[in-house]
Amino acid sequence: MADNERIEAQNPEAGAEANETQEAIHDDQNPMEVLKATAEQLGVKDIHIFSEKELQSIIDQRVTQAIKTREERLRKQQEIEKMKEKGQYEQLLREERRAALEDLRAAHLQAKGLPADFAELVNLDDLLDHSLTEAKDKLLSKIDTIATKLNEIIEQKVTEKLKSMEQGTFTSPESQTPTLPKDPHEAIKQIFQQARR
């Protein structure tokens, strides 16, 4: 580097030629490496520049996936068409709707704190002919009604039980002690007399 500085000091044109030589050296390097070095100088970290082969591979993978997805959709559409012809499509929809409603019923029963056995109380057969949204709303309404009724029954039973327990624990008005007189001396006399009995 000291030689370059001497050359520039003696001959400024010679320094320019040295810079051109360094640029020419960079031109001889791998273009990918030059791009990476330039990106790092600009502050871009963790850069990955794809080669033409890598880009083609990515494109091929995406095209292959898109073709597979399209084929699956076409196959599914053909199956639906065949089922429609055989009259099985409606049955398939009903089965899918039943499965979705059963899952929803179990989840909502659990959310309401009701046992899974209560699922038998909610019949899904009459909901299968409705759209999924309508069936969902009706199902949730049925479960809410059951939960509300159950809570009312429990509250009523608890209240009745408390009333029956209260009847045996409190004394009747005849056995209560008479009220004390307002005069403190008389009240003290009465308390001592009751204590002697």
Side-chain angles (χ1 to χ4, degrees), residues 3 7 9 21 32 43 52 62-64 73 80 83 87 89 143 145 157 168 179 183-184 187:
D3 292 334
I7 293 172
T21 306
M32 298 296 267
E52 193 172 325
R62 299 235 172 119
V63 168
T64 303
R73 286 182 184 160
I80 290 174
M83 288 182 164
Y89 181 69
I143 293 173
T145 302
K157 293 292 183 184
T179 58
D183 182 30

Side-chain angles (χ1 to χ4, degrees), residues 31-37 39 47-52 54-55:
M32 298 296 267
E33 296 300 322
V34 173
L35 282 174
K36 286 181 183 178
I47 189 166
H48 183 77
I49 300 173
F50 292 108
S51 68
E52 193 172 325
E54 291 172 323
L55 284 174

